[in-house]
Amino acid sequence: MSKNHKLKELTLKIIGENELSRKKLLEEIRKQSNISDKTLNEILMSFLKEGKIYITGYDFDVYDGIKRIQSIKADGIIFGVIKTDPLDINILINQLESDDPAEVKDASHKLKTIFRGKMDEIKNSAFEDLNTNNKALLFNRIIYYLNTQPQDQKTVLKNKLAWSLSSEKGSTDLLKNLINYIESQNE
């Protein structure tokens, strides 16, 4: 196994344990392995491009008390792992109904990130007949439709949505079918 592959695995493992800023991630990795800034940047960019991680926020502590911030430091970017297991996604879907606004916002952000990735898969496949231009609007329409259904239908749709957003075999086809079904119900 190459050194770079081991660094990728280590990076993903550490991000998976906690959402960390680039600065804190670098500190954690350097406790276990020697890594350069450039190598970490390359790993992070490849994970972002592959849809394995996403940006969850920004840590302003990297400015050490500076009041007037005029530049963005990459060290403050906070990364998290995108979990594409159907069970993890189902938990996120259920969190959309939480009484805690922060939990709803976080779950919505994560689901939209996953949804955009799946829509990119659809766009790059043979499903050219599906309009994927406004992904945020389409995602919101799916969630709205889901929430307007009776409880038994809602449960079935939640499970199908969770599976369709996962990395399981056939999930992309299921998402296309689910979108087509919801679109047909709105006509």
Side-chain angles (χ1 to χ4, degrees), residues 110-148:
K110 289 176 181 176
L111 285 168
K112 284 180 181 178
T113 300
I114 295 167
F115 184 77
R116 278 193 301 272
K118 290 301 281 191
M119 293 307 292
D120 287 343
E121 283 180 34
I122 287 175
K123 192 174 186 177
N124 294 331
S125 68
F127 304 134
E128 295 170 8
D129 59 324
L130 192 60
N131 183 2
T132 61
N133 292 337
N134 194 337
K135 296 169 187 144
L137 178 63
L138 185 56
F139 176 79
N140 291 339
R141 286 176 59 199
I142 291 170
I143 297 302
Y144 174 77
Y145 180 80
L146 191 139
N147 288 329
T148 61

Side-chain angles (χ1 to χ4, degrees), residues 15-31:
I15 295 173
E17 292 169 356
N18 283 310
E19 294 179 349
L20 295 171
S21 69
R22 186 195 164 284
K23 180 181 179 180
K24 291 178 182 167
L25 177 61
L26 187 60
E27 290 169 4
E28 289 298 313
I29 293 173
R30 284 189 173 157
K31 288 179 184 176

Side-chain angles (χ1 to χ4, degrees), residues 22-68:
R22 186 195 164 284
K23 180 181 179 180
K24 291 178 182 167
L25 177 61
L26 187 60
E27 290 169 4
E28 289 298 313
I29 293 173
R30 284 189 173 157
K31 288 179 184 176
Q32 299 179 41
S33 180
N34 189 20
I35 187 172
S36 70
D37 283 7
K38 286 184 177 185
T39 301
L40 179 61
N41 289 343
E42 182 181 2
I43 290 170
L44 291 173
M45 290 307 291
S46 71
F47 285 158
L48 283 168
K49 192 174 183 180
E50 294 167 9
K52 291 183 179 181
I53 64 172
Y54 66 108
I55 296 171
T56 66
Y58 195 83
D59 180 7
F60 289 94
D61 292 341
V62 297
Y63 293 100
D64 294 325
I66 295 173
K67 294 189 191 305
R68 188 168 177 226

